[in-house]
């Protein structure tokens, strides 16, 4: 088997690359270990807690015991299915803040400033405002990725935005447009009531072309001969074989599996590779380093009225919702239920938002466990720019072994201060007049938890990953010893090899990572094809004019 380009991973970035290369007439093979994404558990937006917790669709990774979080092992789901993590995620669509990408460029990712990447965000999007305003000039209208807004029928969605406004925060009609900061509607990758994953948006159309094929196989390593990547060693049907690449191999296997594959292929910190009996092809100390993520807490309130989704938390109601969705793709099943959002600054002197909110009209966890109190609602809240850094390393030289994942969460003292601030700011929002008709009492942390020490104990026991791992093969200039790929996504030190997924983010952007991961695939495709990048945008994002002196 051979093709011009062999892509490892049918996830967010890999699907976008396959689509663009196939569109340009190149022959493409996409290697994916996971199976089909057909069926209601993945395609029905409201069922999002199921695929994330199913071994069939998830690699099943977890962190090593986290020393600053009471030695808890935190779940680290990654999609093992067509569409990758875009098939098991929460479908929340956030581009990131303009300043995030400007920071990438400042750190050596030349050509990846906001002005450079905005045209790619626009190229990939097919944005549906649903008649709810928004910044049309900043959005794309004919790309493969459909982005929509939930109906926001539950009065709690409006209460959350109104409470933010009452607390003195700005409103924003489109956090993916000119102004991220503020309270407003949340966007989702849902189209006509279905999860609009990278598989639906990009891979299925690509596979309709005669020059693009999908190979179900487990990638073991990249085959490198005389300093050049020539193919991928895979296991398929119990046999080991090599799929050859005439032009390039492209790794797009996630921020967990991509560095693992690099290391198994001899690219990584030399001493670590030698410890596992792997011949060193390129000594790159940055492979697996710089691991970042977003942590979050669920601040939960008991509701004084039975208007939350809890009334549907029974088999009969779930059956009715499921049936309505199966036959009509409408109803509660057609939304991820994250329909209001906010991005705020934690204190004066912070120039752009560093706290994100997802609001949910129910008190429930990602693993599907409802709060014992019954009717309730919650805000997921967490800091966006933790200084803590972790690493992905090899457990052994056996490709079948899961890598070691050490996030090193909460290792920076600032993280604790930031999280305490998040809790206190959230309580203030839930204390506003707009929530008076709906709030009974605080479920979690609970009104008795007030001092720094009490809050820290709650954080230690209850902080959860928002499932945004990234940064483990960061992009930078070729003379940067810590960089793994250059600004054209070429792996430094090996010819014919690229890496394009969330691994290459120099710094974690604001919000959920699916949007930026797809953007990386879109932009990488132009670099792979040798095209001149799209013309930079000439726009000025909104920064709060009072940021130096005011928190809101």
């Amino acid at each position: 088997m051979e093709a011009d380009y062999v892509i490892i991973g049918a996830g967010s970035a890999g699907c976008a690359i396959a689509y663009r290369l196939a569109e340009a007439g190149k022959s493409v093979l996409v290697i994916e270990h996971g199976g089909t994404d057909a069926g209601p558990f993945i395609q029905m937006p409201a069922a999002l807690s199921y695929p994330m917790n199913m071994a069939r669709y998830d690699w099943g990774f977890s962190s090593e015991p986290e020393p600053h979080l009471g030695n808890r092992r935190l779940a680290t789901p990654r999609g093992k299915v067509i569409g990758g993590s875009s098939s098991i995620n929460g479908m929340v669509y956030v581009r990131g803040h303009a300043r995030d990408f400007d920071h990438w460029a400042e750190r050596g990712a030349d050509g990846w400033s906001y002005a450079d990447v905005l045209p790619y965000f626009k190229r990939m999007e097919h944005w549906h405002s649903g008649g709810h305003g928004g910044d049309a000039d900043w959005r794309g209208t004919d790309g493969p990725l459909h982005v929509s807004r939930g109906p926001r029928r539950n009065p709690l969605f409006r209460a959350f935005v109104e409470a933010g406004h009452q607390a003195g925060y700005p409103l924003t009609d489109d956090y993916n447009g000119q102004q991220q900061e503020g309270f407003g509607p949340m966007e989702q990758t849902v189209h006509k009531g279905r999860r609009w994953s990278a598989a639906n948006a990009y891979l299925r159309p690509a596979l309709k072309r005669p020059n693009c094929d999908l190979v179900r196989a487990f990638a073991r390593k990249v085959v490198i001969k005389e300093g050049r990547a020539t193919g991928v060693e895979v296991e398929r049907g119990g046999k080991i074989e090599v799929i050859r690449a005439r032009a390039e191999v492209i790794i797009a296997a996630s921020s967990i599996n991509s560095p693992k594959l690099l290391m198994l292929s001899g690219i990584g910190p030399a001493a670590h590779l030698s410890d596992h009996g792997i011949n060193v092809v390129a000594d790159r100390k940055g492979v697996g380093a710089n691991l970042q993520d977003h942590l979050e807490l669920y601040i939960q309130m008991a509701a004084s009225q039975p208007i939350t989704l809890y009334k549907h938390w029974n088999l009969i109601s779930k059956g009715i919702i499921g049936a309505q969705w199966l036959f009509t793709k409408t109803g509660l099943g057609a939304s991820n239920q994250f329909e209001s959002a906010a991005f705020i600054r934690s204190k004066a002197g912070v120039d752009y938002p560093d706290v994100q909110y997802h609001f949910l009209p129910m008190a429930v966890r990602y693993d599907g466990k409802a709060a014992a109190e019954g009717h309730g609602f919650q805000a997921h809240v967490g800091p966006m720019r933790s200084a803590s850094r972790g690493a992905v390393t090899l457990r052994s030289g056996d490709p079948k072994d899961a890598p070691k994942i050490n996030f090193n969460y909460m290792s920076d003292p600032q993280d604790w201060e930031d999280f305490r601030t998040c809790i206190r700011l959230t309580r203030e929002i839930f204390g506003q007049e707009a929530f008076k008709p709906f709030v009974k009492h605080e479920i979690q942390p609970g009104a008795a938890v007030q001092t720094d020490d009490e809050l820290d104990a709650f954080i230690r026991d209850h902080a959860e990953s928002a499932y945004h791992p990234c940064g483990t093969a960061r992009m930078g200039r070729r003379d940067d010893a810590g960089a793994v790929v250059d600004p054209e996504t070429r792996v430094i030190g090996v010819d014919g090899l690229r890496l394009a997924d969330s691994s290459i983010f120099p710094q974690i952007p604001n919000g959920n990572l699916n949007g930026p991961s797809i953007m990386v695939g879109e932009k990488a495709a132009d670099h792979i094809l040798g095209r001149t990048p799209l013309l930079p945008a000439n726009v000025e994002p909104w920064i709060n004019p009072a940021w130096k002196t005011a928190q809101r």
Side-chain angles (χ1 to χ4, degrees):
M1 293 188 80
E2 67 174 44
D4 297 335
Y5 295 93
V6 177
I7 300 169
I8 307 173
S12 301
C15 290
I17 295 168
Y19 176 95
R20 295 299 178 190
L21 296 185
E23 179 185 60
K26 307 297 183 185
S27 73
V28 181
L29 283 173
V30 183
I31 301 168
E32 174 55 53
H33 183 43
T36 177
D37 62 341
F41 283 131
I42 282 183
Q43 297 300 329
M44 176 171 151
L48 64 92
S49 68
Y50 291 98
M52 202 181 283
N53 293 288
M54 292 170 75
R56 179 178 168 187
Y57 300 128
D58 172 31
W59 283 87
F61 297 136
S62 63
S63 75
E64 296 300 296
E66 286 290 337
H68 305 281
L69 291 177
N71 285 321
R72 287 190 290 141
R73 289 177 182 268
L74 271 67
T76 311
R78 290 293 88 192
K80 186 180 69 176
V81 58
I82 304 304
S85 295
S86 76
S87 289
I88 67 167
N89 70 0
M91 291 156 283
V92 171
Y93 181 74
V94 183
R95 286 173 169 178
H97 194 281
R99 285 276 193 270
D100 292 323
F101 303 103
D102 292 342
H103 288 320
W104 286 15
E106 287 162 15
R107 295 189 57 189
D110 300 319
W112 291 79
S113 72
Y114 184 64
D116 298 310
V117 302
L118 179 57
Y120 288 95
F121 278 118
K122 291 175 80 166
R123 181 170 89 179
M124 72 195 225
E125 280 179 2
H126 187 137
W127 180 64
H128 304 264
S129 72
H132 302 306
D135 283 346
D137 291 349
W138 294 66
R139 309 305 298 268
T141 53
D142 52 8
L145 186 76
H146 289 278
V147 177
S148 61
R149 297 176 171 193
R152 303 175 83 203
R153 290 194 187 100
N154 193 303
L156 290 166
F157 289 124
R158 287 191 298 279
F160 180 70
V161 173
E162 184 56 30
H165 196 43
Q166 287 170 353
Y169 294 101
L171 299 178
T172 178
D173 209 17
D174 187 355
Y175 63 71
N176 284 315
Q178 184 175 22
Q179 179 184 332
Q180 187 190 69
E181 185 172 338
F183 282 67
M186 190 157 244
E187 300 200 325
Q188 49 187 254
T189 47
V190 172
H191 181 48
K192 294 184 176 172
R194 287 173 61 210
R195 174 192 290 272
W196 203 248
S197 64
N200 285 334
Y202 288 98
L203 190 63
R204 286 199 168 77
L207 292 174
K208 288 187 176 134
R209 297 177 182 271
N211 54 331
C212 182
D213 279 304
L214 183 68
V215 182
R216 292 281 310 283
F218 175 71
R220 292 169 52 87
K221 66 177 183 179
V222 178
V223 178
I224 299 166
K225 292 188 176 159
E226 294 169 6
R228 183 172 188 87
T230 58
V232 182
E233 182 183 285
V234 302
E235 184 179 327
R236 189 160 65 129
K239 294 193 182 74
I240 291 175
E241 57 185 290
V242 174
I243 297 173
R244 301 194 182 283
R246 291 187 288 266
E248 290 187 333
V249 173
I250 301 149
I251 302 175
S254 85
S255 57
I256 308 298
N257 278 324
S258 291
K260 177 191 166 188
L261 273 166
L262 285 177
M263 289 186 274
L264 290 171
S265 311
I267 304 159
H272 180 60
L273 301 187
S274 300
D275 287 346
H276 293 293
I278 297 167
N279 291 329
V280 180
V281 173
D283 179 8
R284 302 304 302 176
K285 69 177 185 182
V287 174
N290 193 47
L291 174 61
Q292 298 163 62
D293 190 17
H294 289 141
L295 278 179
E296 62 183 12
L297 288 168
Y298 308 162
I299 309 300
Q300 297 180 328
M301 310 298 285
S304 56
Q305 296 185 39
I307 57 168
T308 75
L309 295 178
Y310 183 73
K311 61 173 172 276
H312 302 294
W313 211 250
N314 58 76
L315 284 175
I316 292 170
S317 203
K318 283 182 181 179
I320 292 167
I321 291 167
Q324 181 183 2
W325 180 84
L326 274 171
F327 293 115
T328 68
K329 300 294 180 285
T330 62
L332 284 171
S335 169
N336 60 5
Q337 304 305 327
F338 290 117
E339 297 178 12
S340 283
F343 291 88
I344 64 172
R345 293 175 301 109
S346 61
K347 55 181 181 275
V350 174
D351 61 341
Y352 70 102
D354 58 344
V355 174
Q356 180 186 15
Y357 285 103
H358 300 65
F359 180 78
L360 190 65
M362 182 168 172
V364 68
R365 288 160 43 118
Y366 269 138
D367 60 11
K369 292 189 172 69
E373 306 247 357
H375 277 286
F377 48 90
Q378 67 193 31
H380 299 205
V381 65
M384 290 290 99
R385 292 193 288 284
S386 166
S388 297
R389 295 289 180 272
V392 173
T393 52
L394 293 177
R395 195 173 297 278
S396 77
D398 182 351
K400 288 282 174 69
D401 276 354
K404 281 187 172 177
I405 306 167
N406 292 283
F407 283 100
N408 210 17
Y409 289 123
M410 306 298 290
S411 54
D412 190 284
Q414 187 64 43
D415 293 338
W416 296 92
E417 185 183 322
D418 290 347
F419 254 115
R420 291 193 296 268
T421 300
C422 283
I423 295 170
R424 288 170 172 144
L425 291 175
T426 308
R427 283 172 160 168
E428 184 193 3
I429 291 160
F430 280 146
Q432 298 298 315
E433 201 60 37
F435 272 116
K436 286 284 193 299
F438 307 115
V439 167
K440 190 172 165 191
H441 59 260
E442 186 177 300
I443 301 173
Q444 176 176 301
V449 179
Q450 293 292 341
T451 67
D452 284 3
D453 287 349
E454 288 165 346
L455 291 174
D456 286 351
F458 173 74
I459 295 160
R460 194 173 296 111
D461 291 344
H462 293 278
E464 296 283 347
S465 171
Y467 311 138
H468 300 162
C470 64
T472 47
R474 75 171 169 82
M475 176 167 44
R477 298 189 181 100
R478 294 186 79 89
D479 59 0
D480 177 348
V484 178
V485 303
D486 71 9
E488 295 196 5
T489 71
R490 296 174 293 213
V491 175
I492 301 166
V494 181
D495 292 332
L497 181 62
R498 302 213 195 215
L499 195 168
D501 60 21
S502 62
S503 310
I504 74 169
F505 296 1
Q507 176 181 306
I508 193 165
N510 270 7
N512 311 60
L513 300 193
N514 182 233
S517 300
I518 294 174
M519 179 277 290
V520 161
E522 283 270 10
K523 191 168 187 302
D526 274 4
H527 294 306
I528 293 161
L529 290 165
R531 291 179 171 164
T532 304
L534 299 178
L535 279 174
N538 182 20
V539 293
E540 198 53 51
W542 187 87
I543 298 287
N544 196 312
W547 70 266
K548 286 182 180 169
T549 54
Q551 183 254 331
R552 60 190 91 167

